[in-house]
Amino acid sequence: MSQPPRLSAATLDRLPPAIARPGYDRSTARAGIVHLGVGAFHRGHQAVFADDALARGEAGWGIVAASLRSPDTRDALAPQDGLYTFALRDRGSIEARVIGSILALIVAPEDPEALIAAIADPAIKLVTLTVTEKGYGIDRATGGLDRSDPAIQADLAAGAVPRTALGFLAAGIDRRRLAGAPPLTVISCDNLSKNGEILRTVLAEFASLKSEALGRYVSDEIAFPSSMVDRIVPASTEADRATIEAMLGVRDAWPILAEPAFDWIIEDRFAGPRPPFEASGVRFVADVEPYEHMKLRLLNGAHTAIAAIGLLAGFATVPKAVADPSVGRFLNRYWDETEPTLSIEPVVSRAYRDALLPRFSNPDLPHRTSQIATDASLKVPQRLLAPLRERLERGESVDALVFAVAAWLRSCAGVSDAGVPFEIKDPALSAWAGRPSAPLPPSAETEAFLSFEPVFGRDLPQHPRFVSELREAVAEIADQGVLAAMKRRFG
Ligand code: CS2
């Protein structure tokens, strides 16, 4: 059978009428946004709102999207003129549209100058980032710049061609400064609490090491609103490509499949114009932290717990894991513990919480537990240990939170309860010198992990109740398996 043609500007008119496509003239659309880290999440979230804006006639809000490492997305989308399918999937229903807001794609290692020039372009009003937790070069002990990180060190060298997000931002911003370009806003769209403040801190420090004047400019002239982003966008699979091809009649090498639910809540602190995204449901608020905490602790923390439990119990996906009633009972306890740590109005957190099990159990989005477990050692501190600390300080119970931490700790050995090995993708964990190299008895394993300071800090290993509860939960999981231990504890 011959291959169907590729999705592209030339084949758009072959699509069935029900498939929405860019109704605007892409040749007159202009880029107002540079995005760093053009993964699935960006294409299922910010790029969709930009597409809506372009369709409403806001012609200056297209995107130049850059990959900092891999050419995969550019290789898939270049033959498609940057077009791709965005499909909302919910319990058998699928609603697809073609997104046209990515006007240009840059692979930074191939053409670093193109990315610096894009950031420096006076037409650019906004830089957005999805570079994951490890993309910020944070020293987890100080909260400042990790000057020992070899990639950061290389980018700090005089005359260096940048490789990191911070290196590119500093180089592009410096060029704007020297040219007297209009103000710029930089928005982190990663799951980090106070992500704007963190980015401002590390970038200002990085920039000041380049030049004092640049450091001052970053601190004084660039706006770094914090933002909370939300949408479950699993990595798409060959089966997803086949589904989309059957719907479109053309081949899309990299479609995005996502859930209908989403949020993008941005602190209303812009250096220049705000992106005209309110009509899509994007919200601008004075203080985003209550939303960040709600999302990180209720959704992402539950995800991290499900990922660890799933890896140990052999559940490959989130919907499979939450189909087990004991996982559901555990999650309810987990949310009973985390919800009271939030500072948002209870009616908001309750509604958010109530939507989570239905979101997680969406059978059309087989979100892999191994995907969520990636970089878990960078996720556990803010998702699980931050609320746990607060409850410990108040003398409150932490059974579900401790159980989640214990499951993560056990999962770091990379072997399921049935003895099946799985891969751990967590460079920060691999780089930790104290990581046990051979299986240890549970109490020695717990002891070893408690010395993992970037995760547990100096305080938690000194907290008698936390240490004894963690030791007990780790031993129980090691002895009975995660599901039996969970059933015994949470019903
Ligand atoms: C997940 C998130 O991979 C992970 O760590 O918890 O990607 C999650 O799906 C999104 O933040 C949902 O908004």
Side-chain angles (χ1 to χ4, degrees):
M1 236 175 69
S2 66
Q3 278 265 337
R6 275 296 268 282
L7 171 67
S8 71
T11 57
L12 269 183
D13 56 5
R14 296 191 189 196
L15 304 185
I19 309 291
R21 65 211 75 185
Y24 49 91
D25 181 358
R26 290 181 81 219
S27 67
T28 58
R30 286 163 286 111
I33 302 172
V34 169
H35 183 78
L36 307 185
V38 57
F41 185 77
H42 170 66
R43 294 195 289 131
H45 191 265
Q46 299 99 25
V48 177
F49 312 134
D51 188 70
D52 291 342
L54 292 172
R56 285 193 304 270
E58 300 277 3
W61 289 92
I63 300 172
V64 173
S67 305
L68 294 179
R69 280 196 285 258
S70 147
D72 295 359
T73 305
R74 189 274 320 272
D75 291 350
L77 298 194
Q80 302 182 181
D81 304 311
L83 298 169
Y84 63 91
T85 317
F86 169 67
L88 288 179
R89 302 215 63 179
D90 196 15
R91 294 179 169 73
S93 92
I94 173 161
E95 194 187 304
R97 74 190 245 204
V98 174
I99 302 292
S101 55
I102 297 188
L103 303 178
L105 284 146
I106 296 172
V107 180
E110 284 176 15
D111 194 355
E113 169 53 32
L115 179 52
I116 299 170
I119 296 171
D121 181 346
I124 295 300
K125 304 172 268 283
L126 189 63
V127 176
T128 50
L129 289 88
T130 49
V131 293
T132 78
E133 290 84 349
K134 62 177 173 282
Y136 289 83
I138 307 165
D139 177 337
R140 294 202 284 160
T142 64
L145 180 70
D146 182 1
R147 298 188 193 187
S148 69
D149 178 329
I152 297 286
Q153 277 177 359
D155 274 8
L156 279 171
V161 177
R163 285 190 296 167
T164 66
L166 297 184
F168 280 108
L169 283 169
I173 289 172
D174 203 24
R175 209 175 279 180
R176 290 180 81 95
R177 174 180 77 91
L178 296 169
L184 184 71
T185 301
V186 183
I187 306 184
S188 164
C189 303
D190 282 294
N191 289 316
L192 292 160
S193 171
K194 296 192 168 74
N195 51 15
E197 211 173 302
I198 288 176
L199 180 56
R200 179 177 190 275
T201 304
V202 288
L203 186 62
E205 188 174 336
F206 182 98
S208 69
L209 294 169
K210 285 280 185 191
S211 89
E212 204 184 303
L214 178 60
R216 253 199 324 272
Y217 182 84
V218 167
S219 300
D220 298 348
E221 305 295 334
I222 307 289
F224 294 95
S226 284
S227 91
M228 179 273 243
V229 293
D230 193 7
R231 173 167 260 159
I232 295 175
V233 189
S236 50
T237 62
E238 190 45 49
D240 296 331
R241 282 186 274 279
T243 306
I244 296 299
E245 188 173 311
M247 281 184 84
L248 267 61
V250 297
R251 173 93 178 150
D252 181 348
W254 212 330
I256 296 298
L257 289 91
E259 62 169 350
F262 74 87
D263 259 321
W264 191 10
I265 305 184
I266 310 175
E267 192 183 355
D268 196 0
R269 195 150 55 81
F270 284 75
R274 294 196 319 202
F277 292 169
E278 269 171 310
S280 300
V282 175
R283 287 184 277 165
F284 299 94
V285 300
D287 182 8
V288 83
E289 196 171 313
Y291 297 96
E292 285 180 333
H293 279 179
M294 174 177 77
K295 197 257 171 169
L296 274 167
R297 296 178 181 192
L298 297 186
L299 186 150
N300 295 113
H303 253 175
T304 292
I306 294 167
I309 293 165
L311 288 176
L312 292 174
F315 298 126
T317 69
V318 174
K320 284 204 173 108
V322 300
D324 185 311
S326 66
V327 175
R329 281 190 288 272
F330 158 77
L331 284 173
N332 270 321
R333 273 288 284 284
Y334 169 85
W335 288 320
D336 284 346
E337 287 177 14
T338 44
E339 199 186 344
T341 71
L342 305 176
S343 56
I344 208 155
E345 305 90 275
V347 44
V348 177
S349 59
R350 189 70 216 187
Y352 189 81
R353 167 184 173 166
D354 286 347
L356 286 176
L357 259 187
R359 288 175 68 186
F360 289 168
S361 52
N362 185 343
D364 296 333
L365 289 179
H367 201 182
R368 299 194 71 77
T369 42
S370 59
Q371 186 187 345
I372 299 167
T374 303
D375 291 325
S377 73
L378 302 179
K379 297 173 175 175
V380 162
Q382 35 182 343
R383 297 180 178 194
L384 302 176
L385 296 175
L388 189 144
R389 266 193 185 89
E390 288 173 19
R391 289 186 65 91
L392 280 177
E393 267 162 34
R394 289 197 289 265
E396 295 163 351
S397 65
V398 288
D399 304 350
L401 280 158
V402 162
F403 191 81
V405 176
W408 164 69
L409 196 157
R410 286 292 303 162
S411 75
C412 290
V415 187
S416 77
D417 289 341
V420 181
F422 52 82
E423 195 192 349
I424 300 280
K425 284 181 252 143
D426 187 344
L429 174 68
S430 310
W432 169 47
R435 184 183 184 184
S437 53
L440 293 175
S443 64
E445 191 182 31
T446 311
E447 227 51 61
F449 266 87
L450 283 169
S451 69
F452 195 178
E453 200 176 309
V455 173
F456 292 105
R458 296 202 177 144
D459 56 332
L460 286 174
Q462 306 300 325
H463 198 291
R465 178 155 72 93
F466 172 69
V467 172
S468 77
E469 289 191 22
L470 183 67
R471 200 177 279 145
E472 209 177 299
V474 170
E476 223 170 278
I477 296 173
D479 183 44
Q480 305 168 20
V482 75
L483 285 185
M486 193 164 62
K487 277 192 191 117
R488 201 189 69 76
R489 285 165 174 252
F490 307 106

